[in-house]
Amino acid sequence: MAQNIYDNPEFFAGYSRLPRQVQGLGGAPEWPAIRAMLPDLNGKRVVDLGCGFGWASRWMRKQGAASVLGLDLSQKMIERARADTGDAAIEYRIADLDALALPEAAFDLAYSALAFHYVRDFDRLVRTIRKALVPEGQFVFTIEHPIFMAAQNPQWLDGEDGRKTWPVNGYAIEGERRTDWFAKGVLKYHRTFGTTLNTLIEAGFQIRRVEEFAPTPQQIQTTPQLAEELERPMMLLVSAS
Ligand SMILES: C[S@@+](CC[C@H](N)C(=O)[O-])C[C@H]1O[C@@H](n2cnc3c(N)ncnc32)[C@H](O)[C@@H]1O
């Protein structure tokens, strides 16, 4: 049974105040890198897995996507996505990615941002997505980077050279991780970088591009606190077909 922490009122209130939720895609520093991985959306049938407030679903329709199906476990997220969207070609539904069922060969693009690290059975999910895509379909997703995930309730340490140090421990021990982020004991699932990519390969995907997001010098100039993202990757971006 998935945790559904996004329906926790305290968590939801805190999460809703993040720049990426207030400003939308422009508030996510990794968005330009994701955008560069996305195919031409014109006429595409898209499924947005863990769609949250629906920022990407709406953007994809503006880029010409024929339809977008946004799925999310959280009723609060789906309610907000519906309230912010006035477009009959976007449908939002409550769904658990750990028990996902999708029609076969029904989508040209499967997209997901920062949701799969909440999923226990990644292998099942990836195989379901593979069957739901047309043969030339594309799959673009982001997750918390395994190096970021591996640390439990991670806190920066002072490195000997004056740099910040990130405490990665138990990297090869996959499975549950609990962190305190807007609520105590938020449940996530750690998988190594190798497992993540091999799961895609074994399901029949061809990996097209992998980005371990790091901010550009211009982004750091505008938002100096992003400099800490140079010390360890926080997000992994993958494109496959
Ligand atoms: C960090 S938010 C990202 C939301 C959106 N993709 C974005 O980038 O703004 C993660 C989303 O995944 C959803 N989620 C978590 N576990 C899920 C599951 N098992 N099935 C479906 N959605 C899930 C949460 O409810 C939340 O909306």
Side-chain angles (χ1 to χ4, degrees):
M1 181 71 191
Q3 186 188 39
N4 195 8
I5 195 72
Y6 286 73
D7 271 348
N8 170 316
E10 247 173 57
F11 184 100
F12 184 78
Y15 183 79
S16 302
R17 286 194 290 270
L18 290 177
R20 64 180 59 227
Q21 297 310 326
V22 176
Q23 296 162 33
L25 302 172
E30 76 281 15
W31 174 244
I34 299 175
R35 212 181 142 161
M37 288 178 153
L38 289 170
D40 175 13
L41 287 153
N42 211 26
K44 297 282 184 344
R45 295 158 299 166
V46 181
V47 59
D48 181 358
L49 302 148
C51 61
F53 287 1
W55 287 107
S57 301
R58 291 187 290 277
W59 181 86
M60 288 189 193
R61 270 284 293 157
K62 288 205 185 99
Q63 304 305 305
S67 63
V68 182
L69 173 63
L71 302 174
D72 202 286
L73 180 64
S74 156
Q75 189 175 344
K76 283 184 183 291
M77 300 302 264
I78 289 290
E79 277 169 5
R80 175 66 187 270
R82 285 181 182 146
D84 288 356
T85 304
D87 182 341
I90 304 180
E91 185 191 352
Y92 296 109
R93 273 191 228 151
I94 293 178
D96 180 357
L97 298 183
D98 251 325
L100 186 65
L102 289 173
E104 287 196 19
F107 300 97
D108 304 292
L109 172 68
Y111 171 78
S112 180
L114 299 177
F116 291 169
H117 47 266
Y118 297 106
V119 169
R120 189 181 53 79
D121 193 342
F122 186 56
D123 183 59
R124 180 191 180 280
L125 173 64
V126 166
R127 286 174 194 276
T128 304
I129 292 168
R130 165 86 162 76
K131 286 197 204 123
L133 286 170
V134 294
E136 65 282 10
Q138 294 210 27
F139 183 22
V140 176
F141 69 91
T142 73
I143 52 170
E144 285 188 3
H145 195 289
I147 285 178
F148 179 81
M149 279 287 297
Q152 232 160 331
N153 274 330
Q155 282 179 354
W156 289 106
L157 306 171
D158 293 327
E160 280 174 16
D161 57 359
R163 301 187 79 101
K164 290 175 168 184
T165 295
W166 187 249
V168 176
N169 40 29
Y171 181 79
I173 304 165
E174 299 187 311
E176 286 191 23
R177 292 286 193 280
R178 296 266 176 184
T179 62
D180 298 340
W181 187 61
F182 297 131
K184 287 221 173 291
V186 177
L187 176 60
K188 300 179 189 178
Y189 294 90
H190 167 61
R191 287 172 275 269
T192 65
F193 189 77
T195 295
T196 303
L197 298 189
N198 288 334
T199 303
L200 296 175
I201 294 165
E202 284 158 17
F205 281 105
Q206 199 171 3
I207 291 163
R208 295 166 63 94
R209 191 158 183 85
V210 176
E211 297 276 357
E212 295 169 284
F213 173 72
T216 62
Q218 290 89 330
Q219 285 181 310
I220 295 172
Q221 206 169 14
T222 318
T223 315
Q225 62 268 35
L226 279 177
E228 70 179 30
E229 305 305 328
L230 300 175
E231 301 296 335
R232 52 94 185 94
M234 189 184 183
M235 277 172 254
L236 178 65
L237 284 52
V238 180
S239 158
S241 56

